[in-house]
Amino acid sequence: MMVSRGATRSPVIHEFEAVIVGAGGAGLWAALELARAGVRTAVLTKLYPTRSHTGAAQGGVCAALGNLEEDHWEWHMFDTVKGGDYLVDQDGAEVLAQEAIERVIELEQMGLPFNRTPDGRIDQRRFGGHTRNFGEGPVRRSCFAADRTGHMILQTLYQQCIKHEVTFFDEYHVVDLLVDDGLTGGVVAYRIADGELHVFRAAAVLLATGGNGRMFRVTSNAHTLTGDGMALAYRRGIPLQDMEFYQFHPTGIVGLGILLSEAARGEGGYLLNDQGERFMERYAPRLMELAPRDLVSRAIYMETRAGRGIGGQDFVYLDVRHLGREVIEAKLPDITDFARIYQGVEPLTQPVPIQPTAHYAMGGVPTDIEARVVVDDRGTVLPGLHAAGEAACVSVHGANRLGTNSLVDLLVFGRRAGRSMAEYCRSAAAPELVANAHEPVRAELDALRTRGVGENPNHIRAELAAAMMDDCGVFRTGDGLRRLVPRIRELKERYERARVQDAGSIFNTDLLEAHELGYLLDCAEATVASALAREESRGAHFREDHPERDDGDWLKHTLAYRAEGGPRLAYKPVTITRFEPKPRTY
Amino acid sequence: MQVDLRVLRYDPERDSKPYWAEYLVESGPMERVLDLLHRVKWEQDGTLTFRRSCAHGVCGSDAMLINGRNRLACKIRVDQLGRRISVAPLPGLPVVKDLVVDMEDFFAKYRSVRPYLVNEAPLPARERLQSPQARARYDDTTKCILCAACTTSCPSFWAQKSYVGPAAIVNAHRFVFDSRDEAAQERLEILADKDGVWRCRTVFNCTDACPRGINITQAILEVSAAIVERRI
Ligand SMILES: Cc1cc2nc3c(=O)[nH]c(=O)nc-3n(C[C@H](O)[C@H](O)[C@H](O)COP(=O)(O)OP(=O)(O)OC[C@H]3O[C@@H](n4cnc5c(N)ncnc54)[C@H](O)[C@@H]3O)c2cc1C
Ligand code: FES
């Protein structure tokens, strides 16, 4: 039915015990756990579940199965901690590395079509930063299904959700998080089909909304990865943790940012500069192309800055020709296809031009290892609120995530979130809804489409993405970041006066994209403030004016709280259990 | 170069019937139709409406009818199409607005074939074994991204909307030929229905339309053969 604009409409109210926002790997696994526990749960997603960006993950999911050579979860844990430049909370990394094994096996049992070894077990390949015996050399730890591992995970989990009759609200865009008096109350969602607001009352809420790569101009992330869950929490006074740590993946398609998985290097691909040198020799003599991503991305920039980019330009080559057609077609079919379609390059016979692309947020909504959201440096939990997946920061990735560890994160902490929510729902009920809980966000949405005249929000988005790419990318300086602070404030002010062209109710993506821009601006503000304050270089955060890691002052997590006039920063200690910080060489 | 982009538009809040809108858009040869649509939406007319997410052919959001064929807007380049490009919603599904169609019935049909592994045997402590050959048997149909390009290119579907359609059969195939699965019989019974595989006339439109290169007609024939073999 059509509803006229401007008239006061009351929202549709739904009552559930638990609400999950997001149907990627993290949200779907949590949904399965809640279904198994018999908790009345709604999964809200702005995309059809199978459109979630988990489906884009290519290379694999690590677990120390030891199917092809000796491996141990302790080695996986060590690699995770070292890869994260010792900012990783080691209690979390221990859980991650241990439970990875059970979760991958469970996925197989759910039907995931992994590639197989000749004797029928799950096949495994090498991946950046994953080593045997605490750093001796690469190990085969990544379990994979060609270069479509994420697609298979997303499909398999969605299939299981169908089997378990999970209740989905597809194409419901969550626009507000209800927190009242220190208790979680539910969410407000905008139904995309007709523009109606729906209030979901629930005791437990999970934010599983994925990343925020669209802050940057060149990114591997989907258009819809706009940091929604992070910003929703931030707006409710919850801090964002470690936002300065944003990963640039070394091998994106030039200009477009579409990813060519590290699996290409895991299978033996080379990186070459203009002189045909395997330049990683200079930066990581032991692991070479399989060094962690922060190092490889910086190495590519160093080469191009020194004039050794291809033809003196800002890219280098990824070369897989020597792997042969058979390996390429069996193990890297999709990414070779991407090179053909989006670059017009034939990887069987030509090297592929690549450059770093904005890829993964190590930071996010802070949680404990039960995926409960914690709001300060003392581990205080906000009852009922949970976060998992890329939107969350456990922190198992520290200052730099290893390849394949995000998918592990989804499985391990998505499941833990579901269990922890089920446990919470056994004793807690949702607080009464505040009258007109949906009013503030309705006013916001109405203003975007009804204010007299206003700037086109798409211009603001383009300027934000360009500015972040220039001054908050692989290399950062105090000067550049100081420039960005007023720049983002200015963009936020302009956003307050922006106006979309589509004033309709039905499938108004013009409005929703503008609303997403608001989320991105909040994420960018927290990212820049955190990056400016951290006067050291660690993992993905590289300050040219402070090029060394400084454990004395900076072995700590950043918490950015929303405040008048810009974020307020606080810090919390890193949990160290087994591995004392050491210099990080590969 | 300049591209002459025609889009079949319809907004139920404003229009009494669909109409062709024309836009002149600057484009490089390697750009994709999705880039053109974005350029129109972001620079010329914010009301132009379409779904999209990943922008590189893996999420299945942006299947549409482009120069008379179903394709993903993010996976077809301008140089493959020429300077005159026409874009319309997928045929055969109700239009919600502009290029957005109602996908509910499509997903309901997908769910109807029990698209999940069924195996009630006690779980082993480790992974179940499957030989590389057994794994290869159903590889092709694991690639489906549920974009609906196949089903909405099928004349049998256009003629009979109750037909379960190629996409659902592809997803049944993925399990019927998986050595670990135990529910082939039930799925084949579902597909032996009057709205199941027998509606396929092997026109091959689905195979041509599939952006993932799945040999869909082959998959449908294999499912039909299995039904005959088991005398369902
Ligand atoms: C190209 C690419 C390749 C990758 N390859 C690998 C790999 O090989 N191995 C690995 O470990 N990691 C990989 N990663 C990283 C990994 O895929 C992601 O970090 C992970 O999939 C994120 O999953 P998620 O469940 O947190 O969120 P997503 O899968 O991104 O899902 C987010 C969900 O939230 C929903 N949502 C968002 N906002 C809202 C809102 N406001 N209202 C309602 N719903 C909302 C969306 O609809 C969606 O369902 C890759 C990433 C990319 C981009
Ligand atoms: S936008 Fe994902 S398939 Fe085209």
Side-chain angles (χ1 to χ4, degrees):
Chain A
M1 214 190 69
M2 252 170 63
V3 186
S4 63
R5 259 173 304 116
T8 332
R9 313 166 298 244
S10 46
V12 186
I13 312 259
H14 306 258
E15 306 261 350
F16 283 90
E17 290 175 272
V19 162
I20 294 173
V21 188
L28 292 179
W29 199 308
L32 272 180
E33 290 300 328
L34 285 158
R36 286 173 183 158
V39 178
R40 265 175 43 76
T41 305
V43 181
L44 276 58
T45 167
K46 66 180 177 181
L47 306 170
Y48 276 98
T50 57
R51 316 287 186 228
S52 305
H53 212 53
T54 292
Q58 302 166 358
V61 50
C62 266
L65 301 181
N67 278 358
L68 290 125
E69 54 185 323
E70 182 182 353
D71 200 5
H72 302 280
W73 68 259
E74 291 89 344
W75 296 357
H76 186 184
M77 175 186 171
F78 170 78
D79 292 336
T80 302
V81 171
K82 180 179 174 187
D85 221 349
Y86 295 92
L87 195 74
V88 171
D89 282 332
Q90 297 189 14
D91 52 343
E94 180 159 342
V95 163
L96 181 91
Q98 270 182 339
E99 294 185 8
I101 299 171
E102 300 154 31
R103 295 292 78 73
V104 164
I105 288 176
E106 198 174 342
L107 273 179
E108 191 286 325
Q109 293 169 340
M110 289 177 185
L112 196 136
F114 283 109
N115 279 39
R116 300 288 175 153
T117 62
D119 58 354
R121 291 183 296 166
I122 296 173
D123 200 2
Q124 297 188 277
R125 67 177 160 212
R126 296 171 168 181
F127 235 82
H130 289 278
T131 69
R132 73 187 133 76
N133 206 17
F134 308 105
E136 270 176 17
V139 73
R140 289 164 168 254
R141 185 179 292 146
S142 169
C143 312
F144 62 98
D147 51 1
R148 311 186 178 111
T149 316
H151 166 76
M152 302 299 188
I153 290 181
L154 188 66
Q155 296 288 327
T156 302
L157 291 174
Y158 184 54
Q159 291 157 4
Q160 290 296 310
C161 285
I162 294 173
K163 184 173 179 186
H164 287 87
E165 299 180 348
V166 170
T167 307
F168 284 96
F169 290 82
D170 295 335
E171 300 196 320
Y172 279 64
H173 189 114
V174 172
V175 287
D176 205 356
L177 169 69
L178 301 177
V179 176
D180 189 41
D181 231 8
L183 274 187
T184 304
V187 299
V188 182
Y190 176 98
R191 180 155 83 177
I192 302 177
D194 60 8
E196 284 293 299
L197 287 179
H198 290 239
V199 175
F200 290 78
R201 178 171 173 241
V205 170
L206 173 65
L207 300 173
T209 51
N212 56 5
R214 285 284 152 182
M215 284 193 300
F216 298 97
R217 189 172 51 80
V218 177
T219 175
S220 66
N221 281 201
H223 285 283
T224 47
L225 287 175
T226 47
D228 303 16
M230 300 180 196
L232 288 169
Y234 185 62
R235 291 172 184 183
R236 289 291 174 172
I238 295 154
L240 296 181
Q241 182 176 327
D242 293 342
M243 293 294 279
E244 64 271 42
F245 298 102
Y246 197 90
Q247 178 171 83
F248 284 73
H249 191 295
T251 56
I253 288 183
V254 174
L256 295 176
I258 295 170
L259 194 75
L260 301 179
S261 170
E262 198 169 295
R265 283 170 287 138
E267 295 293 351
Y270 300 148
L271 292 175
L272 304 175
N273 64 16
D274 197 45
Q275 284 135 37
E277 286 175 297
R278 286 178 71 188
F279 56 84
M280 282 311 296
E281 228 151 37
R282 275 196 283 284
Y283 306 90
R286 243 173 320 148
L287 292 191
M288 298 288 289
E289 280 88 353
L290 290 178
R293 292 174 181 169
D294 55 333
L295 276 130
V296 182
S297 287
R298 278 197 290 280
I300 293 171
Y301 271 99
M302 306 285 272
E303 290 297 305
T304 56
R305 277 183 176 186
R308 291 191 293 270
I310 306 304
Q313 301 186 73
D314 60 350
F315 58 86
V316 296
Y317 280 145
L318 170 66
D319 191 353
V320 296
R321 288 174 295 182
H322 56 287
L323 302 182
R325 179 184 291 272
E326 205 178 318
V327 168
I328 293 175
E329 284 178 356
K331 296 186 170 172
L332 307 167
D334 275 5
I335 60 174
T336 41
D337 218 29
F338 295 157
R340 285 180 196 122
I341 296 168
Y342 299 112
Q343 277 177 307
V345 170
E346 174 48 67
L348 291 172
T349 56
Q350 293 171 293
V352 186
I354 54 94
Q355 69 186 176
T357 178
H359 185 57
Y360 184 84
M362 272 72 74
V365 181
T367 72
D368 62 14
I369 58 173
E370 309 304 335
R372 298 179 301 190
V373 172
V374 290
V375 296
D376 57 22
D377 53 352
R378 295 182 303 278
T380 308
V381 164
L382 197 162
L385 191 60
H386 295 70
E390 192 169 336
C393 179
V394 179
S395 124
V396 288
H397 308 304
N400 172 61
R401 169 174 75 80
L402 288 190
T404 76
N405 266 357
S406 171
L407 293 177
V408 183
D409 180 355
L410 309 183
L411 312 180
V412 169
F413 292 102
R415 170 173 172 277
R416 282 178 164 249
R419 299 201 150 201
S420 162
M421 291 165 81
E423 173 71 31
Y424 181 77
C425 290
R426 263 196 283 280
S427 55
E432 284 306 316
L433 281 179
V434 186
N436 296 323
H438 64 291
E439 232 5 278
V441 73
R442 162 178 298 172
E444 214 181 289
L445 290 169
D446 279 349
L448 269 173
R449 59 181 154 175
T450 55
R451 66 171 59 103
V453 280
E455 189 180 353
N456 178 347
N458 299 303
H459 297 162
I460 303 174
R461 186 179 336 96
E463 287 181 38
L464 171 72
M468 289 294 285
M469 198 78 196
D470 289 344
D471 284 326
C472 204
V474 172
F475 287 104
R476 299 163 176 182
T477 64
D479 287 344
L481 292 165
R482 265 187 292 275
R483 257 198 314 273
L484 260 186
V485 173
R487 184 84 171 96
I488 289 177
R489 194 175 310 133
E490 175 221 311
L491 294 173
K492 285 189 93 158
E493 281 162 15
R494 281 164 54 190
Y495 177 71
E496 294 304 319
R497 299 190 303 271
R499 183 199 152 135
V500 302
Q501 289 177 29
D502 193 341
S505 310
I506 294 180
F507 227 94
N508 190 340
T509 54
D510 201 20
L511 177 67
L512 293 176
E513 284 183 37
H515 192 70
E516 289 172 335
L517 170 61
Y519 294 143
L520 283 177
L521 285 163
D522 281 349
C523 289
E525 166 187 284
T527 303
V528 171
S530 306
L532 176 58
R534 186 174 284 272
E535 296 191 329
E536 66 153 354
S537 291
R538 182 186 298 273
H541 174 66
F542 195 88
R543 285 281 299 261
E544 293 189 86
D545 47 346
H546 298 277
E548 300 298 325
R549 192 174 91 191
D550 173 3
D551 287 341
D553 284 336
W554 289 103
L555 185 57
K556 57 188 179 186
H557 298 292
T558 309
L559 297 176
Y561 293 85
R562 182 176 163 116
E564 272 308 310
R568 174 174 69 77
L569 300 181
Y571 293 91
K572 74 176 184 189
V574 176
T575 307
I576 294 173
T577 57
R578 288 170 184 253
F579 305 112
E580 280 303 319
K582 286 208 190 100
R584 182 166 168 259
T585 55
Y586 286 95
Chain B
M1 65 173 166
Q2 280 215 322
V3 172
D4 182 3
L5 179 71
R6 299 172 75 237
V7 182
L8 189 60
R9 299 201 54 181
Y10 172 65
D11 178 350
E13 287 179 291
R14 292 190 310 189
D15 309 320
S16 52
K17 59 179 197 309
Y19 66 98
W20 286 98
E22 301 203 13
Y23 307 93
L24 273 182
V25 199
E26 239 352 278
S27 167
M30 291 294 286
E31 288 197 282
R32 294 136 317 141
V33 170
L34 180 61
D35 298 320
L36 305 186
L37 294 173
H38 271 145
R39 202 154 295 150
V40 171
K41 183 173 183 67
W42 292 340
E43 300 301 331
Q44 301 186 26
D45 185 349
T47 65
L48 178 65
T49 301
F50 48 93
R51 290 190 181 100
R52 55 82 174 113
S53 185
C54 73
H56 64 285
V58 296
C59 79
S61 293
D62 61 345
M64 42 191 88
L65 186 70
I66 299 174
N67 282 5
R69 280 181 57 187
N70 284 355
R71 324 180 191 240
L72 298 175
C74 66
K75 215 179 166 177
I76 183 87
R77 294 191 313 260
V78 170
D79 70 347
Q80 296 170 298
L81 295 167
R83 302 168 73 110
R84 285 180 62 84
I85 298 176
S86 75
V87 184
L90 286 176
L93 294 177
V95 175
V96 175
K97 179 175 169 183
D98 293 347
L99 302 170
V100 174
V101 291
D102 185 336
M103 299 285 288
E104 288 302 316
D105 179 60
F106 174 81
F107 276 104
K109 285 179 172 147
Y110 161 73
R111 287 191 295 267
S112 76
V113 300
R114 306 189 65 194
Y116 42 80
L117 189 86
V118 177
N119 184 326
E120 304 303 336
L123 289 175
R126 293 285 300 202
E127 70 262 44
R128 291 194 193 86
L129 300 182
Q130 183 168 55
S131 70
Q133 298 71 24
R135 165 67 179 79
R137 181 67 191 86
Y138 62 99
D139 185 61
D140 203 31
T141 46
T142 62
K143 295 188 295 197
C144 174
I145 54 175
L146 297 167
C147 67
C150 58
T151 296
T152 60
S153 72
C154 172
S156 303
F157 170 73
W158 299 335
Q160 191 66 47
K161 293 290 168 55
S162 55
Y163 172 36
V164 64
I169 302 174
V170 160
N171 282 281
H173 178 282
R174 181 249 169 273
F175 291 100
V176 167
F177 293 95
D178 184 335
S179 58
R180 301 168 295 174
D181 184 75
E182 293 173 340
Q185 183 76 17
E186 284 97 308
R187 288 193 199 92
L188 294 173
E189 279 167 15
I190 295 167
L191 292 177
D193 182 82
K194 68 172 179 9
D195 287 320
V197 286
W198 308 125
R199 292 217 182 268
C200 172
R201 294 279 169 270
T202 52
V203 181
F204 284 94
N205 276 13
C206 53
T207 304
D208 285 342
C210 180
R212 302 289 289 162
I214 302 172
N215 192 338
I216 302 177
T217 309
Q218 173 75 19
I220 298 176
L221 291 174
E222 288 176 4
V223 170
S224 313
I227 291 174
V228 173
E229 216 171 280
R230 293 188 188 220
R231 301 169 193 282
I232 293 171

